[in-house]
Amino acid sequence: GDLRFYTNDGSDDNSPTERMRIDSVGNVGIGTTAPGNLLAASETTAGTSGGIAIGHTDNSNAASDAGYWATVGGASGGDPYLNFTISGVTDWRIGIDNSDTDKFKIANANSLNSTPRLTIDASGNVGIGTTAPGNTLEVNGGTATGVLISSDGVGANNSYIQFKTDADGTPRSGMIGYD
């Protein structure tokens, strides 16, 4: 059977509300009577925010961290990821693709291998529209490749790409711009 936890608001001692459940296979549900995962938290009241908060209240030590870890068993395991879903509309996933040389990816799907939009490989190369960036930044938009650099109209009101190097100890720069 299930282990259930109830509370009430004090207005009616005869009608407590179930708040948490540990089901027969060990899944824990908070705000749900049918947890489908090891931990499932759900908010059902319209107009309220459902969320899980992980925090640390100390403000005197830089080592007072708060974090979330998604861990898999090793190189032959699955992917550690975080999923964002609008039910029936779209999924976005962010995580490490264990099957693709441990690249960090952001994908517009419920899999890191399906439609990855951004990839960072182990050497720090960033790919937008490619899972195999060969340069520090590689953009591949398929039939709609382009990079937009724009100005918001405040200040100098110009847009540019600046190139800098000091490979031989002498700083050099150049730019392509629109003024």
Side-chain angles (χ1 to χ4, degrees), residues 114-131:
S114 299
T115 60
R117 303 300 186 200
L118 182 127
T119 300
I120 303 174
D121 68 16
S123 64
N125 290 343
V126 177
I128 299 173
T130 178
T131 60

Side-chain angles (χ1 to χ4, degrees), residues 48-66:
T48 61
S49 177
I52 298 172
I54 300 171
H56 196 302
T57 60
D58 178 62
N59 192 27
S60 65
N61 186 312
S64 298
D65 299 329

Side-chain angles (χ1 to χ4, degrees), residues 53-147:
I54 300 171
H56 196 302
T57 60
D58 178 62
N59 192 27
S60 65
N61 186 312
S64 298
D65 299 329
Y68 167 81
W69 283 265
T71 305
V72 296
S76 297
D79 300 332
Y81 64 86
L82 182 59
N83 215 62
F84 302 90
T85 302
I86 298 175
S87 240
V89 179
T90 190
D91 290 289
W92 281 88
R93 182 171 285 191
I94 182 172
I96 300 170
D97 190 344
N98 202 358
S99 66
D100 189 11
T101 62
D102 301 332
K103 294 174 183 169
F104 179 81
K105 293 182 180 179
I106 298 175
N108 184 217
N110 62 3
S111 167
L112 292 172
N113 279 328
S114 299
T115 60
R117 303 300 186 200
L118 182 127
T119 300
I120 303 174
D121 68 16
S123 64
N125 290 343
V126 177
I128 299 173
T130 178
T131 60
N135 296 290
T136 304
L137 175 62
E138 185 171 328
V139 178
N140 181 349
T143 59
T145 299
V147 176

